[in-house]
Amino acid sequence: MGIQNRELLKVWALRLSIATSIMVVLLSVLNGVKIFDLILRALISFGGMYLLMAGTLSLFERTAIPKPEEDSQADSTPNCGGNIDFSVGDDEPINAPGPDLRTAGQIDCDLSKELPGSERQAEIVRRMGWE
């Protein structure tokens, strides 16, 4: 996560914590709470909300998948389905010549042309472990 996004999220965490504190103070005033209790409730609500949101942000930053570096070469091959084809029984990756052959939402490019034959379907089912 970029430093700019992190700072923006911290600002929003602060704003939401202040808004929560204001709501707690207003509800406490309507219920006729004493001044000392009012200040105590405001501090506890602000601190609790801010720590909860900052902790959540920190947790997301620590568990996030790191972005690949810009100078590293990403998978730019225009394979239809990518690695998912292997999980449904296709042993060889499909090498499409360009993005024109890709069909949105299709795992296998051949499915956009026609359904596989019964022999191919039986082979896929057998490889998936079904009888």
Side-chain angles (χ1 to χ4, degrees):
M1 178 183 305
I3 295 173
Q4 183 180 11
N5 289 340
R6 187 178 197 289
E7 294 301 320
L8 180 65
L9 290 174
K10 279 186 175 182
V11 168
W12 274 104
L14 183 67
R15 289 177 184 171
L16 288 174
S17 299
I18 290 173
T20 303
S21 296
I22 290 172
M23 288 174 39
V24 167
V25 167
L26 289 176
L27 291 173
S28 296
V29 167
L30 290 176
N31 287 328
V33 175
K34 296 178 185 177
I35 295 293
F36 178 72
D37 291 337
L38 185 77
I39 293 170
L40 189 63
R41 286 183 183 190
L43 290 175
I44 290 173
S45 65
F46 175 79
M49 282 298 292
Y50 189 74
L51 288 176
L52 180 67
M53 295 175 94
T56 304
L57 175 62
S58 175
L59 179 68
F60 281 141
E61 286 176 348
R62 291 180 186 187
T63 59
I65 298 172
K67 287 186 177 181
E69 295 181 13
E70 293 176 7
D71 53 357
S72 67
Q73 185 178 14
D75 291 338
S76 61
T77 59
N79 292 343
C80 293
N83 292 333
I84 228 165
D85 290 337
F86 293 107
S87 66
V88 294
D90 195 8
D91 290 335
E92 300 171 6
I94 301 169
N95 293 324
D100 298 334
L101 296 178
R102 294 187 68 169
T103 305
Q106 295 291 329
I107 295 173
D108 188 1
C109 289
D110 295 333
L111 289 178
S112 63
K113 298 173 189 163
E114 63 181 346
L115 291 176
S118 59
E119 296 86 19
R120 179 70 178 140
Q121 288 179 358
E123 182 183 340
I124 291 172
V125 168
R126 183 182 49 80
R127 286 185 180 182
M128 292 175 74
W130 301 344
E131 293 293 326

